[in-house]
Amino acid sequence: MIPLMSALPLLFAFLTVLLDVLQARRGIIKAVFVLGVLSPLPVLWLAKGESEIVGGWAREAGIEVALTETNVPFILGELILFLFVAIYTVYYLDFRDRKTPKVLALFLLIHTGLLGAFIARDFFNFYIYMEIASVSAFALVAFSEERGAKRAAFKYLILSLLASYLFVFSIGLVYMETGYLNVELVSGTAVPSRALNTALALASASLILKAGIFPLHSWLPDAHSKAPTPVSAVLSGAVVKAPAYGMVLLFSALPSGGTFRTAIMGVAVASIFFGVAMALLQRNAKRLLAYHTVSQMGYILLGIASLNFAGAAYYAMAHSIFKGGLFLGVGSLATKSRKLGEFGYRNAPVMAFSILMLSLAIGGVSPFIGAYAKGLVSSGLATGWKLAVYLGTLGTLVSFTKLNYHLMGTEAPRVPSAWKLSSLGLALAALAAGVILGAGINPKDALSIALAVVLFFLLKALGILGKARPAPSRDAGRDINLMTMTLVAVIVILTLLHWLTPAGGR
């Protein structure tokens, strides 16, 4: 039953292409696409709590898939996001363009890859499905007509492939040392060794790059901001979650040790603050949101490195909902210009309501799901790490005060009802999920919002937010070389740190 979650979207992707070849009516193609997006929902409902080996083989030789407390939040976030992205997409794409059915098929392939990766319980199948999602994502970025999109897709492709090769090498080391690729079997047999330490450092660095976490993030702002709006929502809300789930598998199976985990937590906090700082300096609204993905992935990594997998999983679900909604909402308004101050929601109350709600959700304000997930991530942390989470949250609120300040001052273009519905639906989902999970109302949030508004106007008065920023580099080769050197440096540092970890530590 569980494998159908990824098999059904794959079947509908094939049907979408077949109907295009047969020149079926566009309404039929749209319906097949939406059915493909919805098809995993009944499987999740009927198969909850199960684990199975595909084909009935022994666990040592078979492919295990499962629905657990750790991966279900990842899956729910992906499904909720894809539901509203599907509604948005069928009214966004121009069916007079012959590429449209191919774009819909690529969306379904991303759906297939992500769900396959999330249900996988062995490293090789996780890798295969993660690559299906990644390759489809490259193609969707390259389909964009925006200037610089092809260069962004090329950089994304090369760096992601480099990370993939290193990840495959690392799981080869795991197989050589333990004799297994199944997560449960590896966990039961792995003992600390230099080979496994090296494998964990290699795999972690590879997945950090694929997740767009600082300092291996440089491909992300270009790829996410240059893509068409529904693609940006899927890239930022869902695709970067597959490598995050891969790190959950790694840290639950391999011995990591305190020194290594502390180093990864340091990377997570650096990503939180770097992303916020860069977002505050942006004038392009989609790049502002893209840098917030760099920041928000830091919270998920913080949960993983502190072995708080539930916290990481719920934060991943929360981020899928509110970041996808923000990309859809802002993208709906920024149809002619993406420069802050040149578009807004002053005469569009539904869009204003949606974006304000989503801004509160990403800022960790209760009772939205962001507050619940952030509280869960913070729950197992020492005081210093909790302070970093609070300060990062405050920076996020300052950044979204800036976004909404500019959006309030300008009128909106005509926004189709389906686009409004998609943004509003994700905003309400962020609120409903928080209420259902028990986020409650925290009066201290009002103080945080007030402090964020004061800080925003202070930074604005100092002229820090209005200075001209250098344009993104157009030399993809130089960017790739720099990122490769950074990747090698991170791998060397993580490997040396891991070798310092006392033997036997998890």
Side-chain angles (χ1 to χ4, degrees), residues 212-489:
I213 294 170
F214 176 83
L216 302 174
H217 65 283
S218 71
W219 61 268
L220 187 148
D222 288 343
H224 287 202
S225 63
K226 297 293 182 184
T229 292
V231 178
S232 297
V234 168
L235 289 177
S236 195
V239 173
V240 291
K241 304 304 185 312
Y245 180 67
M247 282 188 274
V248 170
L249 296 182
L250 278 175
F251 277 75
S252 60
L254 298 178
S256 50
T259 306
F260 183 80
R261 291 201 301 272
T262 302
I264 297 294
M265 289 171 73
V267 171
V269 170
S271 195
I272 289 171
F273 287 108
F274 175 82
V276 166
M278 291 302 294
L280 280 169
L281 299 177
Q282 300 305 311
R283 289 179 170 177
N284 181 308
K286 286 189 74 172
R287 285 184 73 82
L288 183 152
L289 294 178
Y291 272 111
H292 268 291
T293 300
V294 177
S295 176
Q296 297 290 310
M297 291 303 294
Y299 295 103
I300 298 172
L301 184 62
L302 196 57
I304 296 168
S306 59
L307 304 185
N308 181 359
F309 301 135
Y314 278 99
Y315 205 90
M317 181 174 82
H319 185 254
S320 294
I321 295 171
F322 53 63
K323 180 49 73 67
L326 282 164
F327 262 113
L328 295 184
V330 173
S332 300
L333 301 171
T335 51
K336 294 182 179 177
S337 171
R338 292 176 180 172
K339 187 176 179 181
L340 291 172
E342 295 184 355
F343 67 95
Y345 53 49
R346 193 167 64 187
N347 60 330
V350 174
M351 297 305 296
F353 180 68
S354 302
I355 292 175
L356 280 169
M357 288 179 71
L358 292 162
S359 299
L360 294 174
I362 197 172
V365 174
S366 57
F368 293 93
I369 189 174
Y372 173 80
K374 205 160 281 185
L376 211 55
V377 169
S378 298
S379 60
L381 298 176
T383 304
W385 298 109
K386 284 184 179 178
L387 179 62
V389 171
Y390 175 73
L391 293 176
T393 300
L394 186 61
T396 303
L397 285 171
V398 175
S399 179
F400 279 89
T401 302
K402 172 186 173 180
L403 175 68
N404 285 282
Y405 171 82
H406 288 290
L407 294 179
M408 286 176 187
T410 311
E411 293 193 349
R414 193 188 72 81
V415 179
S417 299
W419 296 8
K420 293 179 185 176
L421 173 64
S422 300
S423 304
L424 180 62
L426 285 167
L428 293 175
L431 176 61
V435 171
I436 292 169
L437 291 170
I441 295 179
N442 186 353
K444 293 180 181 176
D445 289 340
L447 182 62
S448 297
I449 293 171
L451 183 56
V453 172
V454 170
L455 285 172
F456 163 69
F457 282 106
L458 178 62
L459 292 173
K460 185 173 180 293
L462 294 173
I464 294 174
L465 305 179
K467 293 181 179 178
R469 307 295 157 207
S473 169
R474 295 185 177 182
D475 189 341
R478 191 191 67 174
D479 289 350
I480 291 169
N481 289 339
L482 283 173
M483 186 52 58
T484 303
M485 287 191 292
T486 308
L487 174 63
V488 171

